[in-house]
Amino acid sequence: MRSKKWLFSIVGFLIVAVFLFPIYWMVISSLKPMSEIFGESTLFPKNVTFEAYRNIFIGSDLAIFRHFFNSLIISFGTMIGTICLAAPAAYAIARKNLKGITLFLLFILITQMFPSNMLALPLYTMFAKIGLLNSYLGVIIANMTLSLPFVILIMRTHFLTLPKALEEAAIIDGCSRWGAFLRIILPLAKSGILTCAAFSFLLAWGEFLYSLTMLSDNSKWPITLAMRQFVGQFGTNWGELMALSAVSTLPIIIIFIFTQRHIISGIADGSTK
C-alpha cells in the first residue's frame, strides 16, 4: 500500500514537472544574455542578467504599463459582463422547469466548442456595422462569447445545489423573486461566482485573436498583442519576449494566490449535481 502511494506521488510529481517546465524555461530564458540563449542550451543560466527586464520597462518604445492597463480593462470588463449575464440566466435555467431545456443546454455546449478563429470574421463584420471596431467594448463582447456558455453551465450546476426552501422563505418574508436572488442566492453562491469570475478574467487576459482582429490602434492593444512587437521579419528578440511573458503571468499568479480556496470549493460544490 505504501509503495502504491509512493508510485502515485512520483507520477503526480512528473506530471506537474512536465506542465511547469515551459514556465521555468520562459523565466530562465528571460534571465540569460542573448548570446547564451542562442548558444548551448542549459537548464540553469550561467550568467544571470536582468537586462531584458530593464529594456521592456525603460529601454524600449513599448509602453508596457499602458498595455497592461488595456488588458486589465478588457479582462475586468469581460469578467463583469459575463457574471452579470450568466448569473440570472443560470439561475433561471436551474429553477424553472422550461420546455426544451435539454436542447438549450446542448446548444450551449455546442457553442462552447466553436474556436475563436471561426467566430472572429462574423463578429468583425457585425461590429463594423454597429461601430464597435477599435474599441474596448467590442473586444469585451467578443471575449464574452467564449466565456459565457461555460460560465452558465458551471453556475447552473452550482445553483442546483442550493435548496429552494431558502428563497421560498425569503419570498414569504416579503422579498421579491429578484430580491431573494440578490440577497439570498448570490451570497450563498459566492464560491461558484468567484470560480467563474476567475475563469472569465484569465480567458480574457490570455486572448489574442479578437484583439488582433478588432483593434487597429496600438494604444489600445492588450499585453498579449504587444508581444508581437518583439517578433520581427528578420528575427525575434527572445530575451525581452520571454521577460514580458514572465511579467504578464504575474496577475494570473496573484489571482490564484488570493482566490485558490474559493476556486477549489466552487469546483467541488458545483460537482455534486
Side-chain angles (χ1 to χ4, degrees):
M1 190 68 179
R2 186 183 298 271
S3 60
K4 193 174 182 179
K5 290 183 179 180
W6 274 102
L7 179 61
F8 283 136
S9 300
I10 294 173
V11 172
F13 175 79
L14 291 176
I15 293 174
V16 172
V18 169
F19 278 98
L20 291 182
F21 183 77
I23 300 176
Y24 170 75
W25 191 259
M26 173 186 68
V27 174
I28 66 167
S29 296
S30 68
L31 298 175
K32 292 180 179 180
M34 191 65 67
S35 58
E36 191 172 337
I37 292 177
F38 291 100
E40 183 181 356
S41 298
T42 57
L43 290 177
F44 303 98
K46 297 178 181 178
N47 301 299
V48 177
T49 176
F50 293 93
E51 182 180 0
Y53 291 92
R54 184 187 66 82
N55 289 339
I56 64 172
F57 283 106
I58 302 174
S60 70
D61 297 331
L62 179 66
I64 183 172
F65 294 106
R66 183 180 64 195
H67 294 305
F68 260 104
F69 183 69
N70 294 338
S71 290
L72 288 174
I73 292 177
I74 294 172
S75 299
F76 274 112
T78 302
M79 179 186 70
I80 294 172
T82 300
I83 296 301
C84 289
L85 291 179
Y91 176 72
I93 295 172
R95 287 294 188 255
K96 299 293 184 180
N97 294 322
L98 303 175
K99 293 183 178 180
I101 189 63
T102 304
L103 292 177
F104 179 72
L105 293 176
L106 180 61
F107 174 75
I108 293 178
L109 282 173
I110 292 174
T111 57
Q112 183 67 30
M113 297 177 186
F114 291 158
S116 57
N117 54 2
M118 181 179 177
L119 301 175
L121 183 57
L123 288 175
Y124 179 89
T125 304
M126 182 173 62
F127 289 171
K129 293 181 179 180
I130 59 179
L132 287 180
L133 289 183
N134 202 31
S135 67
Y136 295 126
L137 182 58
V139 180
I140 289 172
I141 294 176
N143 287 335
M144 286 172 59
T145 62
L146 298 177
S147 59
L148 193 58
F150 177 81
V151 171
I152 289 176
L153 291 175
I154 294 298
M155 294 189 71
R156 170 188 172 272
T157 306
H158 197 82
F159 286 140
L160 287 174
T161 64
L162 302 178
K164 293 182 180 180
L166 292 174
E167 55 208 272
E168 291 173 354
I171 293 174
I172 292 174
D173 288 339
C175 273
S176 63
R177 175 68 68 176
W178 273 103
F181 172 67
L182 295 174
R183 297 179 182 180
I184 306 298
I185 300 301
L186 286 185
L188 292 175
K190 180 179 69 172
S191 59
I193 292 173
L194 286 176
T195 302
C196 295
F199 169 80
S200 303
F201 182 92
L202 297 179
L203 184 66
W205 184 267
E207 198 280 324
F208 174 81
L209 183 61
Y210 288 149
S211 300
L212 176 64
T213 304
M214 300 178 187
L215 296 177
S216 57
D217 185 1
N218 59 6
S219 64
K220 296 181 179 180
W221 284 358
I223 195 67
T224 52
L225 205 56
M227 294 179 186
R228 295 176 64 246
Q229 300 185 38
F230 295 109
V231 181
Q233 181 179 0
F234 302 103
T236 300
N237 192 333
W238 289 107
E240 295 180 13
L241 179 59
M242 293 296 103
L244 183 57
S245 300
V247 172
S248 66
T249 61
L250 291 178
I252 300 175
I253 296 173
I254 293 173
I255 287 175
F256 271 107
I257 290 175
F258 287 99
T259 63
Q260 179 184 12
R261 177 172 60 87
H262 296 288
I263 290 175
I264 293 175
S265 62
I267 294 174
D269 292 343
S271 65
T272 57
K273 274 285 183 179

